Amino acid sequence: MRREKLIFAAVLSLSILLLITGIPFASLVTAKSDSSWNYLANPKYVPWSYTPGGFLYNTVAELRAAYDLEPLYDEGIDGTGQTVVIVDAYGSPTIYEDLLAFNTFHSLPWTTLEEVEEHLHIYYPTGKPKFNPRNWPLSEISWSMETTLDVCMVHAIAPGADIALVVASTPAGNVINLAVKYAITHHLGCVISQSFGIPEYVLKANNAQIMQSHYNYWLASQPDYSITVFASTGDDGATNGGPYNNALYPASDPYCTGVGGTNLFMECSDSFLEGTGTWDNKTHFGVSYSYEIAGNDYEGMAADGYPSPSDIVTTGGAMSTWFPLPDWQSGITLTLADGTTVSLTGRCASDVSFDSGVYGALGPIRYSAYAPLTGWWLIGGTSAGSPFWAALTAIACQVAGHNLGYINPSLYTYYRGGTAYSSGAFHDITTGDNTYPYGGSVLGYKATAGWDAPTGIGSPDSNLLVPIMATW
């Protein structure tokens, strides 16, 4: 009886918080304390050996050129003095060695194992798990691949920043929530990256975990912490693999900034233009941004002229059924792939975007946690977008001289101000959609002028956006 009263008190207090913050809680006060679910991390990857066959990928240097980071580095603006927090389950037993190999290949700092260990700090707030690659139901291999991508992406974009890798002992929602809370309350960094999630359509009678995690994100936004939180919107289109369009949590939480995906095309050093249907079975080196489409590998391959297009990643992005439309998101338009406008009732993700294609992924990345998969890989998905934006935010924090904290209201105020695109700070992605699989019967959402569900406000020109972010 006493335990039930304590549970009720906890649920009631969180429900009051949800009411204060404008989140509906009528269905949450009946949460079952013993219900649980596991977050999913499922980065998509192909062997680097695909590339001699003309499979598109992007090195660190190419991504830096595409998103205009080099002018910042030239001024010493690289995240120095900041720490980016990455939260994952299980981690990777070879993350130090794999990051060192990645650094060596791409000519990045931290060129010895001692330097890597000095700057990459690993925390196990719920206990250190023993890596078990045979744990198929909980996908420890996927989580180790995710960890490797996250760490490599952050270091590629913010090479001066330290990394705090917070490893949950399992992907259970309550365990991950404890890891996130640890990162927040111990002030481990200025920004948190989360490349995991769970589709809202499966969240039934699991409300206590949602309330716990929502409290964490609200806490991060408070002045005592002022931590920015990013989350990926998913790789299985607007439906997230379900029977209808639904958002991925926690990207759908209004205190998180949801990162959607694109397929990136570049102008190359030999004047070759990617994404113009002129694929020639050769490798070209990208030197400047050309354009992006809503993240859909089938459509991206087709745009490039690749002979065997396929669905690998299709970005998420949809309207939440759990959270109402925030005031700061008022005025956006949600459009289905056939052009039909959808009435808005809930919080919509994505908010921003980044290259998510496996066709065009970051690579090569070294992975050796599971011996049969040891080698060099191209790893993509919206999993890449959350650590990219976290790293970019750390760079903006260096410019600002302080944490940016909760950026969503400022982000949308800037968007509504009318200069996000005319200034060049954001790329407006207006082509493609996130129907999955390609040609599926459940229509996804269309990329349109201005905000849209697959790509949010757009992807950044970092050199132009970072000074603006520093004022938020």
Side-chain angles (χ1 to χ4, degrees), residues 45-64:
Y45 46 90
V46 297
W48 187 35
S49 59
Y50 273 37
T51 58
F55 195 90
L56 184 65
Y57 74 103
N58 288 298
T59 64
V60 169
E62 287 174 296
L63 287 180
R64 289 175 165 187

Side-chain angles (χ1 to χ4, degrees), residues 202-445:
V202 304
L203 297 178
K204 301 173 183 177
N206 298 301
N207 309 323
Q209 288 179 212
I210 291 289
M211 294 167 67
Q212 180 188 20
S213 60
H214 177 69
Y215 173 79
N216 286 341
Y217 304 135
W218 171 83
L219 188 67
S221 75
Q222 298 306 294
D224 286 347
Y225 301 98
S226 193
I227 299 170
T228 311
V229 183
F230 289 95
S232 302
T233 61
D235 298 338
D236 296 310
T239 64
N240 277 303
Y244 54 86
N245 292 342
N246 70 105
L248 194 74
Y249 186 82
S252 61
D253 192 292
Y255 287 106
C256 292
T257 303
V259 184
T262 71
N263 283 88
L264 167 69
F265 300 112
M266 299 184 68
E267 298 181 16
C268 300
S269 58
D270 57 0
S271 300
F272 182 83
L273 293 176
E274 298 171 351
T276 56
T278 55
W279 179 86
D280 61 0
N281 198 28
K282 297 179 182 178
T283 298
H284 304 273
F285 186 81
V287 294
S288 62
Y289 180 91
S290 181
Y291 77 102
E292 290 166 280
I293 66 171
N296 185 316
D297 271 328
Y298 187 101
E299 295 178 350
M301 293 179 195
D304 203 33
Y306 189 75
S308 303
S310 60
D311 287 304
I312 305 177
V313 167
T314 298
T315 182
M319 182 167 59
S320 174
T321 58
W322 280 77
F323 301 100
L325 187 71
D327 289 343
W328 42 262
Q329 243 185 352
S330 62
I332 63 173
T333 302
L334 186 62
T335 307
L336 287 169
D338 66 359
T340 304
T341 300
V342 178
S343 297
L344 294 179
T345 57
R347 150 82 165 130
C348 293
S350 308
D351 299 304
V352 291
S353 54
F354 173 74
D355 175 30
S356 64
V358 171
Y359 191 74
L362 171 63
I365 296 173
R366 180 69 175 178
Y367 173 84
S368 62
Y370 178 48
L373 294 181
T374 294
W376 294 89
W377 296 85
L378 313 178
I379 312 178
T382 58
S383 291
S386 182
F388 170 88
W389 272 93
L392 191 68
T393 299
I395 291 173
C397 289
Q398 178 190 356
V399 174
H402 56 76
N403 290 10
L404 302 189
Y406 179 42
I407 67 171
N408 286 359
S410 297
L411 171 67
Y412 280 86
T413 296
Y414 176 62
Y415 165 66
R416 285 194 297 271
T419 61
Y421 306 126
S422 62
S423 68
F426 273 98
H427 306 124
D428 189 11
I429 293 97
T430 60
T431 303
D433 65 82
N434 66 350
T435 301
Y436 182 85
Y438 180 77
S441 59
V442 180
L443 290 178
Y445 299 105

Side-chain angles (χ1 to χ4, degrees), residues 16-34:
I16 293 170
L17 170 64
L18 293 172
L19 177 62
I20 292 171
T21 56
I23 308 302
F25 69 94
S27 64
L28 303 188
V29 294
T30 58
K32 295 181 180 179
S33 63
D34 59 347

